[in-house]
Amino acid sequence: MLDVDPSVAMIKATVQIDQPINEAKRMVGTGFLVSTPKPGGGVEVVLVTAAHVFEKMPAQQVRLGWRVMNAKGDWVYTPEFLTIRSTSGPLWYQHPSQDIAVIPVELPDGFREAAVPDAWLADDVSFTVQHIDPGDEMMTLGYPHGLSANIAGFPILRAGRLASYPLSPSTRYPTFLIDLTAVPGNSGGPVYLSRAGAHPLIAGVLIKQVEDDNQRLELGVVTDAVFVRETIDLMLKAQLSGQAPRSGATVPAPPAPMKTPGTSGDMTGN
């Protein structure tokens, strides 16, 4: 059993990613920290986010919103810079077909226990084995429009119902929908199921909102956590072989939702 509430564990692992554009504007996304065993021993901590979050931030560095507790027991927001690209190109590792990126990070003192283990990431059988069905409630964490829950910089927790069927196999259905309004700043946040007495199951990464003819449908698109696992594996293999980070322009997943197959033209409802 967990020593803390499952959602508290996810909140502590989630951070704001931002990059100032000018004095009045900044770009904002969300990421979360995952620890994974290294093949040669030891543990690597990576920041997981949507690949387009890094792609849309043009400068070499972003700010990560660390939060540490001071001697008085107060949480303090202490952002630090992370270099995401060099003159040679991006430093993050990117899934070849999905909007997922990971990058190794060094955690500051006071934040070292925040990363969640990669065992919390769903795999290809998790949804079936754990009987996860449409209508189940999922949680997500993020920074909508750059807003945080408080001056300490903690993310905002929101919830939505699973709105897709079927969920597997991920090779055919790489994304799924949740009944939730996703706005800029939420991209890259974890989507998970909170289970009493057990660790959360990270189902995926929120990547975008759904719009049709410029109308918001109050739906969020989530990329399956299987692809986070695959991207971490890609990173570890590249590190072992001495290869440079694998990244590039995001290849969009099949649309979700999409027009009903076999139909065309405008639709009107009753």
Side-chain angles (χ1 to χ4, degrees), residues 57-135:
M57 294 183 176
Q60 290 187 327
Q61 293 185 317
V62 298
R63 292 188 301 198
L64 297 186
W66 305 133
R67 306 163 301 262
V68 297
M69 188 175 288
N70 64 19
K72 297 181 180 179
D74 296 325
W75 287 102
V76 180
Y77 188 63
T78 56
E80 292 184 355
F81 283 99
L82 170 71
T83 301
I84 61 169
R85 55 172 58 84
S86 67
T87 54
S88 300
L91 299 178
W92 66 85
Y93 297 82
Q94 187 166 324
H95 195 277
S97 63
Q98 302 301 324
D99 191 3
I100 298 293
V102 303
I103 188 170
V105 292
E106 291 289 335
L107 301 184
D109 292 338
F111 216 84
R112 299 193 182 281
E113 304 303 319
V116 298
D118 61 2
W120 292 13
L121 294 166
D123 58 27
D124 250 334
V125 299
S126 296
F127 293 163
T128 300
V129 170
Q130 301 193 33
H131 305 290
I132 298 167
D133 300 306

Side-chain angles (χ1 to χ4, degrees), residues 189-203:
V191 174
Y192 67 95
L193 288 95
S194 180
R195 304 176 296 174
H199 68 72
L201 178 69
I202 302 173

Side-chain angles (χ1 to χ4, degrees), residues 132-139 158-162 178 191-194:
I132 298 167
D133 300 306
D136 287 350
E137 186 175 64
M138 291 191 173
M139 310 293 185
R158 301 162 71 208
R161 299 272 178 192
L162 179 58
I178 55 173
V191 174
Y192 67 95
L193 288 95
S194 180

Side-chain angles (χ1 to χ4, degrees), residues 95 110 233 266:
H95 195 277
D233 287 344
D266 295 333

Side-chain angles (χ1 to χ4, degrees), residues 9 14 18 21 32 38-39 63 97 167 175 183 192 201 224 266:
T14 303
D18 82 313
I21 303 303
F32 60 102
K38 299 173 70 173
R63 292 188 301 198
S97 63
L167 298 174
T175 63
V183 299
Y192 67 95
L201 178 69
D224 197 303
D266 295 333

Side-chain angles (χ1 to χ4, degrees), residues 24 27 36-37 42 44-45 69 88 93 103 109 147 153 157 165 184 198 209 215 223 228 239 252 261 267:
M27 302 189 72
T36 188
E44 181 91 89
V45 175
M69 188 175 288
S88 300
Y93 297 82
I103 188 170
D109 292 338
L147 298 174
L157 174 66
Y165 180 84
Q209 64 185 347
Q215 295 184 42
T223 297
V228 178
Q239 289 175 337
M267 299 292 162

Side-chain angles (χ1 to χ4, degrees), residues 226-252:
V226 167
F227 301 106
V228 178
R229 285 180 171 272
E230 290 181 1
T231 310
I232 291 173
D233 287 344
L234 183 154
M235 178 199 74
L236 294 174
K237 290 176 182 177
Q239 289 175 337
L240 279 176
S241 63
Q243 295 177 356
R246 181 175 179 177
S247 57
T250 298
V251 178

